[in-house]
Amino acid sequence: MSEQDPRADTTTAPAAAGGHAAATPRQRYPQPLLPRNLRNWMMVWYRNYMVWKKLAIPSMIGNLADPMIYLFGLGLGLGLMVGQVNGVSYIAFLAAGTTASSVMMSASFESMYSAFSRMHVQRTWEAIMHAPLTLGDVVLGEIAWAASKAVLSGLAIMLVAGALGYAQMPGALLALPVIVLAGIAFAALAMTVTALAPSYDFFMFYQTLVMTPMLLLSGVFFPLEQLPEGVQAATKVLPLAHAVALIRPLMLGRPSEDVGLHLAVLGAYAMVALVVCLMLLRRRLLR
């Protein structure tokens, strides 16, 4: 009798202590990969919410500190030198860009550091998947939770800007659906990085090589028209640039252009990144 391939996925396992068979990876992680239904992921979202609620105030302060520093530090300081940009004060121009960038930052950090802790360090995902939930339920719940935190961050900055007269309220609230879609897209992209990360240090590559250039080249701090034509063409593939292009006109009370294109790009990023991260996580967790 030939020796069995150790990589084979067998349906039987040696008896463990107490006479119970040891669970194989496919038995531990329910199938199919996709969400089992339209409700299960909400339980994952609710579990994360209940944990976050205990530290809600420090968490919100941490998420808002960085964008607020950019908004008031650059907006008030540099704004005195720049004056107006595209017919509005620089701080009003920056407030809309900061709203979009805070969505990216909040969704990305939640999907990377916090989700990685639950998946790899605390093994919360493994515990959840012993219930009748699939990996798809868990990942969709994590992405929805990261997007929810991104909406809180973006909405908070929008309300502050509106209270100070830097955003046209209540019309600016029409940007909320865009913030939700952008949050999902950035959360799904970051979850793909989490699926590949061997440790927390890996996330620095994504922050330095992807998030920082996107922050500087997407029209957050200055109009895209100031960039060379070749760079302007490259920004058309950046999801943050499309989010800024949708959020800024709504916050400034101006008509939006190419709405369908911007929404399609953000939607495509969300869908493709979701599929890719599911495939990568399946391979990681079932190997």
Side-chain angles (χ1 to χ4, degrees):
M1 184 174 181
S2 59
E3 183 178 351
Q4 187 178 16
D5 186 348
R7 295 171 296 177
D9 181 22
T10 60
T11 56
T12 61
H20 297 287
T24 64
R26 291 189 184 275
Q27 291 170 333
R28 289 200 305 269
Y29 300 105
Q31 300 297 317
L33 173 65
L34 296 177
R36 192 177 296 276
N37 53 50
L38 297 178
R39 303 184 307 274
N40 282 359
W41 65 268
M42 298 180 185
M43 297 298 100
V44 180
W45 183 96
Y46 183 71
R47 180 264 169 202
N48 290 343
Y49 164 74
M50 293 299 292
V51 174
W52 171 82
K53 188 172 68 171
K54 299 176 182 179
L55 299 171
I57 294 178
S59 176
M60 286 297 297
I61 293 175
N63 288 335
L64 292 176
D66 193 52
M68 287 298 183
I69 290 172
Y70 276 115
L71 176 61
F72 292 108
L74 291 177
L76 296 176
L78 191 59
L80 294 175
M81 300 172 57
V82 174
Q84 290 194 335
V85 177
N86 292 347
V88 297
S89 65
Y90 180 68
I91 191 170
F93 177 88
L94 182 62
T98 304
T99 299
S101 65
S102 69
V103 172
M104 177 186 72
M105 293 294 185
S106 182
S108 298
F109 285 127
E110 181 65 25
S111 281
M112 290 190 297
Y113 291 97
S114 298
F116 183 81
S117 295
R118 291 188 285 268
M119 176 191 70
H120 183 71
V121 180
Q122 301 169 357
R123 295 191 176 275
T124 304
W125 289 17
E126 185 173 345
I128 292 174
M129 285 187 288
H130 278 85
L133 274 74
T134 67
L135 178 61
D137 294 322
V138 176
V139 173
L140 187 57
E142 289 283 354
I143 289 175
W145 171 245
S148 299
K149 291 193 68 176
V151 171
L152 284 177
S153 296
L155 180 61
I157 295 175
M158 181 188 298
L159 293 177
V160 170
L164 296 176
Y166 302 133
Q168 299 295 319
M169 302 296 286
L173 295 177
L174 294 174
L176 277 177
V178 178
I179 291 175
V180 172
L181 178 58
I184 294 172
F186 288 119
L189 287 169
M191 190 64 71
T192 303
V193 180
T194 299
L196 298 170
S199 67
Y200 292 108
D201 295 334
F202 186 83
F203 298 132
M204 289 301 299
F205 294 105
Y206 184 68
Q207 291 175 235
T208 304
L209 301 178
V210 178
M211 292 176 64
T212 299
M214 188 156 44
L215 182 66
L216 297 175
L217 297 176
S218 296
V220 174
F221 302 110
F222 49 82
L224 293 178
E225 294 77 16
Q226 302 293 324
L227 297 172
E229 292 185 3
V231 179
Q232 289 185 42
T235 62
K236 294 180 180 179
V237 302
L238 301 177
L240 182 57
H242 293 276
V244 172
L246 288 170
I247 293 173
R248 179 168 282 140
L250 292 171
M251 288 185 62
L252 297 179
R254 296 181 173 182
S256 303
E257 298 180 357
D258 300 324
V259 174
L261 173 63
H262 299 314
L263 291 175
V265 172
L266 289 175
Y269 267 106
M271 292 300 297
V272 173
L274 176 60
V275 172
V276 171
C277 75
L278 280 171
M279 294 173 60
L280 292 174
L281 286 167
R282 182 180 189 274
R283 185 179 66 178
R284 174 174 184 156
L285 295 176
L286 298 181
R287 65 186 177 184

